[in-house]
Amino acid sequence: MGRVGCYAIALIPLCLLLVVDLSLTQSCGTRKVVNFLIVNGTEAKDGYWPWHVAIFHNNARTFVYACGGTIVDQNTILTAAHCLMTSNGIIARERLVVQVGRNRLRVASNRAQEHEAFQLIVHPQYNVNSIQHDIALIKLATDITYTDYIQPICLWNRGEDQNSIVDTWGTVIGFGVDETDNPSDTLREARIPVVSAITCIESNRNAFATQLTSNMFCAGNRDGISACNGDSGGGLFFNFNNVWFIRGVVSFTKPRQDVLLCDTKEYTVFTDVAKYLSWIEQHIRETTGQPVVIETDNNRKIRLLPMSTCGPNPYASRKESSKPVLLGYPWVGLLEYTETGSREKKTICQATLISDLYLITGAHCVSSIPRRYTLSSVRLGEYDKNTMTDCAQVDGQTVCAPPVQTLRIESVITHTGFNKPRYANDIALIRLRDRADTSRNNVKPICLPVTNELRSQKPTHYTLTAWASGSSGNLLERSQRELVDSIECQQLYTERSVLLEKTTRQICIKQQQESSARCKFPSSAAPLQLVQQVQGTSRYVLYGVLSYGPKSCSALYPDVYTNVASYVDWILENIQE
């Protein structure tokens, strides 16, 4: 299923254990879930190693598992330098994805989170032609949300002396190949002893004598239990008083003869984390307790957004499923199109109000519509498209909304990267000619995730508000929609020859099947939202805009939404007074 990257160094090839596909203030190192190991102690249940991460590379048309890593803080991952390398040098950060909270490699989990890389920091003395200083950091673009299944590790604080750990046993974990020489689907662990440098060198002088330095150490039992291909970048952990510390990062071993797979009868070499603490600490965020605003250059633009009044949540004490829809989601709008030869206006797409002048919609709603249609206006405050006055029963009483506002469009800004590649960057800004009257309770803007804290949310469910597409969808409806694992989503779309541009820029959502086994398809550009704390108040924040999906009902073929959080900077750059 995979191949490994091995480099000829000195007189014998050493195998870097990398798999590449062929085709808030928080305590560290503490398990929050108490579980017992599965039979033989080779597989760990969910939550047993909450600091381990899986690193994926985007190779050609899909993301494939490459390496392991370890959570150091909310936006820092520790791994091996060679895990970030390709034949052309350091991998482009856009081609790398980090997933935390995974215990199964090929089975989706609601406990997992996915993060894209903001910066790849390879140790300055690392050289691809050498094994030395094989250590790197991945700075994430969004913060990890700690849960019982996602926790940081403690950095070693017991001195650099390697003699102090010789003959002690640590635990190495990973998704690397197992005894069948296939990548393990389940996170596995192995307890192995640290050996002295002399013992390691004497075991195989050709393999280790010219490569081993004081910044590395060896561990293993030479008994068939060790780290292997795909375990690179993962940690070797030690427990002191029920707190776990990382001391080693899996780097390399000698491969078997004529096969580029690890030889489990040889020792595994680890980068000694204790020798790099000062370098690591240079890149760890100092916790301030204050949310970080994305791209401070855009701070001045944030004042154009109604951050103190956006996303009102009038039924905050209720569960989402029991809230009234009428007046509950007043940012949802309809785009109106005039058709050639007809005075009747069509409503094909939705749009979401973010200020009294701007709305967000899908780029395909303005760039890919049939030529006979012309986008002309936006309808705000709508609930029932069949009635002039919108009314509904709320807590046993009839409640009616103010009149709908229909506003002309002044201009549209479509993302320049739309459809490059296919379906990518499907987002557009609409500017109104006249300001919307947001003093009415049926027309209010939603909040945008302008802080790192808001942008880093990784929920398992979102709230969708949409009219069903087609002539039968006259009433605004609300539903809870389940997140689909992005790696699984990418694989499903690859089978249909559609390459997702970047999994972190898109949100995959499971279709909702009714009891009749027929799907209701939401209108294009329908919004996904979440209730979050914004300036100390519970409010709605916009996270997704429906981009595309299947034309027939299929539970395994998800809808894809543009991830608004990835485009906040673009939005701020393009809004004006």
Side-chain angles (χ1 to χ4, degrees), residues 467-487:
W467 287 272
S469 61
S471 58
S472 61
N474 292 313
L475 203 66
L476 181 65
E477 298 183 28
R478 174 211 43 243
S479 61
Q480 294 294 105
R481 294 297 177 98
E482 183 180 350
L483 185 72
V484 176
D485 178 80
S486 60
I487 301 299

Side-chain angles (χ1 to χ4, degrees), residues 376-453:
S376 59
S377 53
V378 177
R379 195 188 307 174
L380 299 174
E382 183 64 277
Y383 171 69
D384 186 344
K385 293 193 287 186
N386 270 346
T387 63
M388 296 293 293
T389 302
D390 290 331
C391 299
Q393 289 293 307
V394 178
D395 297 332
Q397 296 183 341
T398 300
V399 174
C400 295
V404 170
Q405 298 178 40
T406 301
L407 301 170
R408 293 176 297 173
I409 292 172
E410 179 180 287
S411 60
V412 177
I413 302 172
T414 303
H415 197 288
T416 55
F418 174 55
N419 257 347
K420 303 173 185 177
R422 188 181 180 193
Y423 302 127
N425 304 302
D426 190 6
I427 190 167
L429 268 174
I430 293 176
R431 181 182 171 96
L432 299 173
R433 186 171 298 182
D434 300 301
R435 295 181 184 273
D437 182 358
T438 58
S439 66
R440 304 180 186 182
N441 60 359
N442 67 334
V443 178
K444 301 284 185 183
I446 196 171
C447 300
L448 289 180
V450 297
T451 66
N452 193 55
E453 181 181 23

Side-chain angles (χ1 to χ4, degrees), residues 266-280:
E266 299 281 356
Y267 292 118
T268 299
V269 177
F270 294 80
T271 302
D272 190 347
V273 173
K275 302 299 178 68
Y276 296 91
L277 290 178
S278 59
W279 176 76
I280 294 171

Side-chain angles (χ1 to χ4, degrees), residues 168-415:
T168 64
W169 290 65
T171 303
V172 62
I173 59 176
F175 291 107
V177 299
D178 57 21
E179 60 274 6
T180 68
D181 290 343
N182 294 304
S184 173
D185 176 56
T186 303
L187 187 62
R188 309 188 91 191
E189 67 172 56
R191 291 193 73 239
I192 55 176
V194 177
V195 299
S196 68
I198 294 299
T199 300
C200 187
I201 291 171
E202 290 296 331
S203 71
N204 192 324
R205 283 189 168 272
N206 288 337
F208 301 123
T210 61
Q211 302 303 322
L212 204 62
T213 72
S214 60
N215 292 328
M216 311 171 190
F217 64 85
C218 299
N221 239 353
R222 307 183 74 196
D223 59 356
I225 300 175
S226 73
C228 199
N229 301 74
D231 290 324
S232 267
L236 181 65
F237 305 104
F238 294 82
N239 187 296
F240 299 97
N241 299 320
N242 293 321
V243 177
W244 290 88
F245 295 81
I246 185 169
R247 179 65 191 253
V249 172
V250 179
S251 181
F252 71 91
T253 191
K254 177 190 174 295
R256 292 172 233 167
Q257 187 174 3
D258 301 323
V259 181
L260 295 181
L261 286 172
C262 70
D263 187 343
T264 56
K265 302 296 185 181
E266 299 281 356
Y267 292 118
T268 299
V269 177
F270 294 80
T271 302
D272 190 347
V273 173
K275 302 299 178 68
Y276 296 91
L277 290 178
S278 59
W279 176 76
I280 294 171
E281 289 166 354
Q282 292 174 20
H283 300 285
I284 294 178
R285 173 194 295 170
E286 294 184 8
T287 303
T288 63
Q290 298 297 318
V292 179
V293 175
I294 303 167
E295 294 295 337
T296 54
D297 289 345
N298 281 324
N299 282 357
R300 61 185 180 84
K301 288 292 191 72
I302 293 177
R303 63 183 175 81
L304 300 180
L305 299 175
M307 295 303 297
S308 61
T309 58
C310 61
N313 183 13
Y315 304 102
S317 61
R318 298 190 183 185
K319 292 182 178 179
E320 200 68 28
S321 59
S322 65
K323 294 178 181 179
V325 176
L326 179 69
L327 305 179
Y329 308 93
W331 38 84
V332 182
L334 283 165
L335 296 183
E336 295 187 329
Y337 302 81
T338 56
E339 185 176 7
T340 303
S342 173
R343 292 187 177 183
E344 183 181 357
K345 291 190 176 182
K346 303 284 186 180
T347 54
I348 302 172
C349 287
Q350 294 184 209
T352 305
L353 193 68
I354 62 170
S355 75
D356 59 0
L357 268 182
Y358 284 95
L359 300 97
I360 291 175
T361 189
H364 72 275
C365 289
V366 295
S367 298
S368 302
I369 57 175
R371 290 187 177 182
R372 67 180 184 276
Y373 292 116
T374 301
L375 179 60
S376 59
S377 53
V378 177
R379 195 188 307 174
L380 299 174
E382 183 64 277
Y383 171 69
D384 186 344
K385 293 193 287 186
N386 270 346
T387 63
M388 296 293 293
T389 302
D390 290 331
C391 299
Q393 289 293 307
V394 178
D395 297 332
Q397 296 183 341
T398 300
V399 174
C400 295
V404 170
Q405 298 178 40
T406 301
L407 301 170
R408 293 176 297 173
I409 292 172
E410 179 180 287
S411 60
V412 177
I413 302 172
T414 303
H415 197 288

